[in-house]
Amino acid sequence: MKSQDIRKKFLEFFESKQHKIVPSASMVLKDDPTLMFVNAGMVPFKEYFLGQRKIVNTRVTDSQKCLRVSGKHNDLEEVGIDTYHHTLFEMLGNWSFGDYFKQEAIDWSWELLTEVFKIDKDILYVTIFEGDESEGLVKDTEAYDMWKKHISEDRILLGNKKDNFWEMGAQGPCGPCSEIHVDIRSAEEKAKTPGADLVNMDHPQVVEIWNLVFMQFNRKADGSLENLPNQHIDTGMGFERLCMVLQGVQSNYDTDVFTPLIHELESKTGVVYGKSEEIDIALRVISDHVRAVAFAIADGQLPSSTGAGYVIRRILRRAIRYGFTFLNQKEAFIYQLVDVLSNQMGDYFPEITAQKQLVKNVIKEEEASFLRTLGQGLGLLDNVIAGTKGKEVSGDKAFELYDTFGFPIDLTALILSEKGYSLNEAEFEAALQKQKNRSRAAAEMDMDDWVILKEDAEEEFVGYDYLETQVKITRYRKVTSKKDGELYQLVFNLTPFYPEGGGQVGDRGFLEASNGDVLHIIDTKKENNLIIHIAKDLPKNPTDTFKAVVDAKNRALSNNNHSATHLLHQALRAVLGTHVEQKGSLVNAKYLRFDFSHFSKVTAEQIEEIEEFVNARIREKLDLQEFRNIPMQQAIDKGAMALFGEKYGDTVRMIQFGNSKELCGGTHVENTSSIWHFKISGEGAVAAGVRRIEAITGTVAMDFFLKQDKELVAVKGSLKNAKDPVKAITSLQDENAALKKEIESLLKEKAKNIKGDLKSSIQEINGINFLATRIDMNAGAIKDIAHELGGEVDNLFFFAGAENDGKATLTSYIAKNLVEEKGYDAGKIVRELGRLIQGGGGGQKFFATAGGKNPAGLSEAIDKVKEYL
Ligand code: ATP
Ligand code: MG
């Protein structure tokens, strides 16, 4: 069965059990402080488990893109070495949000595997949770009894907390789980070792395929468990592993999920899969990593030098480095795989096809730049080796290469061993650890548990209509970090404060207690589905009723920039073309920033055209048309632009100004005339194929023009109030150039005269033509004179002292034949006489100069030089 059909069958099976099929969420997380990427199918549904979002469908099924490359679930180092862990993989899931529980989850998983997919029961094992005394958790006899009906008891194994109690992270929803494993070894192997002994023992052919999690607890900050308000089912089956079983192969890389990528790699690099372990690992690493990187970019996370972007950059670099070392690829090549990937995955994941060109460009540029780094690093490594006494290279030096140039440590070790050197690995590890500790200490954040004042399912946002309202605090907690010290996070029953999102910064303002006390809200953020207000303190009486007031001036300035961003987006598509896709934005009270896909610099004419396009719409005084709660499909039919990588609900909000229609949760002006004026203040590149425009509006634009005007007045003033300052400056520049030329030719003339004078003062002493004199000219001119004299006069010994801008210089020129015959050394002479002018210098034996700060010593130096004859 083809992988496409396997995915489809899974989804249709659960659809037949009344589950709604939903698409995969973006892999990139934007409003979760504990996680950068979706690492399990449950992540996009976390809020349902925590009771922080209203449940619309109680049964859902999906195939979710997951990435396990950082944090609690990090498989990166295994990937490619083994045959069944990936960075990016699809997790097939069926979900019950407070609906069915263990019984159905177990029965249906069995039905699907053995009856629909017809997997032989004799290759399956299941595990259940054995309990854990320290947590006060009992053995899951319920699950045991349910499995007993399907499978013989010798195939039901007990598992400990590590394998059979599923937790997403240090905090959050969790619960006991029951896993299904397959044993796909040959009969011969099975006869030797029973499969039951190999379950959860990292055997590549005895692997877990499906995990059924019985979600019923929440892990709190202090490590204790509390019951969730409802019981839920969260299951996750590795799609690629299921394909391996159903396609009768022994490795995920032999399924049709990977073979097209591996074939493409074989033909591009001329190697063959399955011949050498080293090459096979490289092929697996690259075919795996290109998927992770391509989907991350398509979901809006570009490679970069910090945070989530750096994680993506490191994955790609790992792939490049394997290609470089084991496949001998010295030029960008991985980007070419994106075509194959898009052919193969594009049906189910349209984001990859729609953004193919961008993804390729970004990967290609990253490859090229890292290959340059590798080239430089090899040179630096040679220097390190040259500077090494003995045969062991210092770990600190290797760390420097790793840290500042991103030079992979395993590559360093490999090259060293090829050259007969070893690496002090302990020293490297120590340096690495030191750095990790530093950054951990800086990033560390302690979160207390929420103090719940009032149970409240959903915090209502009323900030589109009100900037002021009466609120109650429903919960709060203290958060302590090195960076910000102690802060409090407050959640209200309803709020006018806009939480940072969609590029727009969060509102600030204040809370006023009933006795008139004021507490400042310094920022507002969204965490999962909660709107969190940040304050430096707690109110004296948290259960009071407060007046919540948004800083209206700040909000109005942000509104200007947000609405202008929509008009800019529209302008870019009109002026540059519809290939323009939004790739990120920032909107605050001061300015707006907009990143978008486009392949060349935006020209000055295009900038003007874009500004005019936006300003025309400001002048048209377009009213805001807001569609606050319309079905997604209706918005799309109206022509609204949706962004890849954004999370949209079933109903959406659409913002329209004239023909600009976007799905957007941000705040906007009532009429475009409020924006007053739009001015682009910067344009540049962010990555290959991604440009950035920065712009200002409203009073900020006005201040900009006023400042420009003042400067122009000042310029005109210093140009004697010229009518046309541009013309006046051009003619000044022309005049300046002409004068420079004139000075140059005058100086040449002067040098000629001086040379004549000098020539006549040369003395002959024992066959040496000697001249020591003072010439107050710059060092370059004296050098020219010395060489010219040397060309005209044989056996010349020339020495000059000069004063220029209060500094002294010495120049010594000695004919080459004199140097050879008599052993003179101009370098030595200027070094020694340089002391008289409190300076130093050097050069070659026939020509040297010195500089110093004491012109008073010049005449003594000129007198003394005779002594060297
Ligand atoms: P393993 O022990 O094999 O690493 P796990 O316990 O980490 O698996 P879960 O967190 O329970 O796995 O994830 C559910 C399912 O997702 C697993 O049963 C497996 O089929 C699949 N899976 C987990 N990690 C990966 C990965 N890195 N690559 C591919 N599939 C994976
Ligand atoms: Mg794992």
Side-chain angles (χ1 to χ4, degrees):
M1 201 186 302
K2 285 215 177 97
S3 57
Q4 308 272 15
D5 300 324
I6 294 173
R7 188 194 292 115
K8 196 156 154 247
K9 266 234 158 87
F10 177 94
L11 297 172
E12 284 171 357
F13 174 80
F14 283 102
E15 192 177 37
S16 79
K17 311 281 185 202
Q18 288 77 51
H19 289 60
K20 182 178 156 70
I21 301 177
V22 301
S24 172
S26 164
M27 204 164 71
V28 178
L29 291 168
K30 298 219 170 90
D31 51 13
D32 193 324
T34 60
L35 216 54
M36 291 195 269
F37 302 101
V38 170
N39 63 4
M42 59 83 67
V43 172
F45 302 115
K46 211 163 69 170
E47 301 138 28
Y48 294 128
F49 297 131
L50 290 169
Q52 289 170 358
R53 187 188 277 272
K54 281 201 196 93
I55 293 161
V56 186
N57 300 297
T58 57
R59 295 182 183 190
V60 163
T61 180
D62 67 349
S63 179
Q64 172 64 42
K65 294 173 279 187
C66 298
L67 192 60
R68 293 198 167 176
V69 290
S70 56
K72 178 168 158 52
H73 294 281
N74 184 352
D75 293 336
L76 185 61
E77 293 309 319
E78 259 65 66
V79 172
I81 314 283
D82 79 16
T83 51
Y84 61 108
H85 280 97
H86 303 295
T87 52
L88 170 110
F89 64 99
E90 286 180 56
M91 207 186 269
L92 300 166
N94 56 290
W95 309 88
S96 154
F97 304 121
D99 188 333
Y100 63 86
F101 201 48
K102 281 183 203 180
Q103 182 77 61
E104 290 86 342
I106 287 176
D107 291 349
W108 286 339
S109 69
W110 196 253
E111 182 186 340
L112 176 65
L113 292 181
T114 61
E115 286 169 36
V116 178
F117 287 135
K118 305 218 177 333
I119 296 178
D120 182 356
K121 287 179 194 182
D122 292 337
I123 70 164
L124 296 175
Y125 290 88
V126 301
T127 63
I128 63 132
F129 181 45
E130 66 185 7
D132 187 285
E133 230 169 86
S134 67
E135 302 254 17
L137 294 167
V138 295
K139 178 174 160 185
D140 193 353
T141 46
E142 258 178 16
Y144 191 91
D145 292 338
M146 290 169 188
W147 280 122
K148 241 172 29 184
K149 286 182 287 166
H150 298 300
I151 188 169
S152 66
E153 284 185 61
D154 58 336
R155 290 180 169 265
I156 309 177
L157 311 172
L158 299 184
N160 60 16
K161 201 170 90 178
K162 181 181 140 282
D163 287 320
N164 282 80
F165 193 85
W166 202 90
E167 306 202 40
M168 174 198 69
Q171 277 161 264
C174 53
C177 62
S178 189
E179 305 159 337
I180 303 172
H181 295 253
V182 289
D183 179 359
I184 53 172
R185 292 173 304 151
S186 64
E188 207 184 336
E189 296 265 339
K190 285 179 185 170
K192 273 192 242 157
T193 321
D197 292 354
L198 297 174
V199 165
N200 274 331
M201 298 301 280
D202 297 329
H203 190 288
Q205 271 94 42
V206 185
V207 297
E208 176 190 330
I209 54 167
W210 204 347
N211 194 355
L212 316 178
V213 183
F214 313 126
M215 212 56 103
Q216 59 191 91
F217 301 111
N218 178 35
R219 172 83 65 190
K220 304 207 309 182
D222 64 3
S224 64
L225 295 171
E226 65 181 5
N227 280 323
L228 288 172
N230 287 301
Q231 295 183 323
H232 315 276
I233 287 297
D234 149 11
T235 85
M237 173 146 64
F239 169 63
E240 300 78 6
R241 293 186 191 176
L242 176 64
C243 290
M244 167 174 80
V245 177
L246 297 181
Q247 295 180 359
V249 291
Q250 302 278 302
S251 150
N252 287 5
Y253 295 91
D254 292 332
T255 66
D256 69 346
V257 179
F258 284 95
T259 45
L261 292 167
I262 293 197
H263 289 329
E264 181 75 3
L265 274 171
E266 287 175 323
S267 81
K268 286 260 154 20
T269 63
V271 302
V272 179
Y273 186 64
K275 290 257 150 69
S276 112
E277 186 63 10
E278 260 181 4
I279 290 179
D280 289 357
I281 290 176
L283 292 171
R284 291 199 290 262
V285 164
I286 298 166
S287 59
D288 173 276
H289 290 9
V290 70
R291 293 173 12 116
V293 174
F295 275 100
I297 297 169
D299 277 353
Q301 184 57 65
L302 294 173
S304 75
S305 57
T306 54
Y310 192 54
V311 173
I312 298 305
R313 173 168 284 171
R314 281 207 336 253
I315 299 173
L316 182 54
R317 287 183 167 186
R318 187 169 184 261
I320 299 169
R321 175 247 176 297
Y322 271 92
F324 182 86
T325 314
F326 301 110
L327 305 181
N328 200 27
Q329 294 302 303
K330 311 296 181 210
E331 264 161 50
F333 73 109
I334 296 171
Y335 72 96
Q336 296 169 355
L337 296 173
V338 177
D339 289 323
V340 179
L341 190 59
S342 133
N343 278 341
Q344 196 193 342
M345 310 266 290
D347 277 347
Y348 196 72
F349 299 102
E351 63 271 27
I352 194 72
T353 312
Q355 300 181 89
K356 195 170 79 178
Q357 201 49 47
L358 171 77
V359 171
K360 282 173 78 172
N361 282 338
V362 172
I363 294 182
K364 187 177 177 187
E365 176 63 30
E366 279 283 315
E367 282 190 81
S369 107
F370 187 53
L371 288 166
R372 280 195 297 275
T373 305
L374 284 179
Q376 277 171 6
L378 290 176
L380 290 168
L381 193 54
D382 281 340
N383 292 345
V384 170
I385 292 173
T388 298
K389 292 195 195 93
K391 286 282 163 194
E392 192 188 64
V393 167
S394 122
D396 289 332
K397 281 271 186 285
F399 180 75
E400 226 174 276
L401 275 175
Y402 162 83
D403 193 36
T404 33
F405 298 96
F407 203 72
I409 188 62
D410 49 352
L411 185 56
T412 304
L414 184 81
I415 293 169
L416 289 180
S417 80
E418 280 169 6
K419 299 197 175 194
Y421 285 80
S422 67
L423 170 71
N424 187 333
E425 281 177 34
E427 223 170 76
F428 175 83
E429 280 306 321
L432 184 66
Q433 205 48 48
K434 228 197 282 163
Q435 188 206 39
K436 276 192 182 154
N437 290 344
R438 267 198 308 273
S439 52
R440 189 168 317 128
E444 221 153 70
M445 196 157 87
D446 274 333
M447 266 186 226
D448 287 7
D449 282 320
W450 287 110
V451 177
I452 313 270
L453 299 179
K454 193 167 170 272
E455 278 304 335
D456 187 49
E458 206 153 346
E459 183 182 15
E460 194 188 345
F461 175 66
V462 297
Y464 296 136
D465 304 311
Y466 304 99
L467 293 180
E468 233 185 87
T469 157
Q470 299 289 325
V471 306
K472 284 281 203 187
I473 298 176
T474 56
R475 56 169 78 190
Y476 67 84
R477 71 176 167 193
K478 188 165 84 180
V479 174
T480 319
S481 69
K482 263 250 158 66
K483 190 165 142 260
D484 300 318
E486 270 185 16
L487 291 174
Y488 288 88
Q489 301 187 332
L490 316 174
V491 177
F492 309 154
N493 57 339
L494 82 176
T495 181
F497 284 83
Y498 179 77
E500 181 181 324
Q504 185 178 336
V505 296
D507 275 335
R508 42 188 214 213
F510 62 89
L511 283 189
E512 192 183 304
S514 50
N515 67 358
D517 279 359
V518 162
L519 177 70
H520 288 283
I521 301 297
I522 56 178
D523 199 0
T524 312
K525 291 197 164 76
K526 202 162 183 179
E527 188 179 314
N528 301 313
N529 204 37
L530 284 183
I531 298 175
I532 291 176
H533 308 80
I534 299 169
K536 290 205 168 122
D537 238 319
L538 269 187
K540 277 205 192 72
N541 175 12
T543 54
D544 201 357
T545 300
F546 299 90
K547 187 163 85 179
V549 183
V550 172
D551 179 336
K553 186 168 163 233
N554 215 54
R555 165 75 87 81
L557 291 170
S558 293
N559 289 350
N560 284 342
N561 285 333
H562 204 148
S563 302
T565 304
H566 286 203
L567 298 178
L568 169 62
H569 191 183
Q570 189 193 5
L572 289 170
R573 290 173 71 95
V575 175
L576 302 179
T578 49
H579 62 277
V580 167
E581 291 261 5
Q582 175 166 353
K583 282 290 146 218
S585 73
L586 172 74
V587 168
N588 61 32
K590 295 199 181 92
Y591 75 113
L592 67 94
R593 191 174 83 193
F594 191 77
D595 296 346
F596 56 99
S597 48
H598 180 58
F599 306 119
S600 53
K601 189 169 171 54
V602 186
T603 65
E605 294 77 51
Q606 288 168 331
I607 295 265
E608 247 176 63
E609 214 180 315
I610 292 162
E611 284 177 341
E612 179 44 34
F613 185 103
V614 174
N615 283 318
R617 272 143 197 85
I618 293 172
R619 286 193 301 271
E620 272 176 52
K621 300 190 169 47
L622 299 169
D623 273 328
L624 162 70
Q625 288 175 274
E626 183 197 9
F627 302 85
R628 198 169 289 180
N629 242 320
I630 58 172
M632 177 72 173
Q633 195 50 49
Q634 195 180 328
I636 298 293
D637 292 345
K638 278 179 187 283
M641 258 188 294
L643 304 181
F644 286 114
E646 268 317 312
K647 188 161 148 189
Y648 297 111
D650 295 331
T651 62
V652 292
R653 177 167 178 258
M654 184 175 102
I655 293 298
Q656 177 170 3
F657 290 105
N659 286 323
S660 151
K661 297 167 199 165
E662 294 200 26
L663 300 184
C664 176
T667 67
H668 287 274
V669 296
E670 290 293 322
N671 184 288
T672 56
S673 60
S674 311
I675 302 171
W676 187 71
H677 191 81
F678 171 82
K679 171 81 192 140
I680 291 179
S681 52
E683 193 275 341
V686 204
V690 182
R691 310 290 308 178
R692 167 172 293 177
I693 279 184
E694 291 181 340
I696 48 180
T697 61
T699 49
V700 179
M702 174 127 71
D703 290 343
F704 170 81
F705 287 122
L706 287 175
K707 185 164 166 269
Q708 295 269 73
D709 185 54
K710 254 196 199 140
E711 280 168 7
L712 187 61
V713 169
V715 168
K716 275 184 175 169
S718 56
L719 291 171
K720 301 205 183 67
N721 290 321
K723 279 219 175 60
D724 185 342
V726 177
K727 209 167 136 196
I729 287 174
T730 316
S731 83
L732 271 180
Q733 282 169 335
D734 291 347
E735 200 177 315
N736 196 358
L739 287 173
K740 261 197 191 140
K741 246 196 191 143
E742 208 169 310
I743 289 177
E744 260 167 42
S745 74
L746 285 174
L747 283 178
K748 269 207 185 113
E749 194 71 15
K750 186 177 164 200
K752 224 189 249 162
N753 292 338
I754 289 178
K755 208 174 75 192
D757 293 348
L758 289 175
K759 218 168 166 178
S760 55
S761 13
I762 292 176
Q763 272 178 290
E764 208 224 276
I765 305 175
N766 299 335
I768 294 168
N769 286 316
F770 175 77
L771 175 63
T773 182
R774 175 153 178 158
I775 325 169
D776 287 339
M777 292 176 69
N778 70 39
I782 297 178
K783 180 181 174 187
D784 288 346
I785 290 174
H787 281 87
E788 279 171 32
L789 275 179
E792 294 168 21
V793 181
D794 287 342
N795 298 332
L796 180 68
F797 189 119
F798 170 81
F799 185 83
E803 180 180 349
N804 241 313
D805 293 336
K807 290 199 186 94
T809 54
L810 302 178
T811 306
S812 170
Y813 175 98
I814 305 169
K816 277 190 179 148
N817 59 312
L818 292 182
V819 170
E820 276 160 26
E821 288 158 21
K822 311 230 175 209
Y824 293 145
D825 183 348
K828 185 171 162 235
I829 295 173
V830 300
R831 259 194 314 278
E832 291 176 1
L833 297 180
R835 284 185 214 124
L836 298 171
I837 57 166
Q838 289 177 21
Q844 287 146 303
K845 290 193 170 167
F846 67 94
F847 183 79
T849 58
K853 50 185 185 216
N854 178 31
L858 284 173
S859 50
E860 195 184 346
I862 293 167
D863 287 345
K864 277 215 157 138
V865 76
K866 228 182 201 157
E867 292 170 10
Y868 287 93
L869 281 184

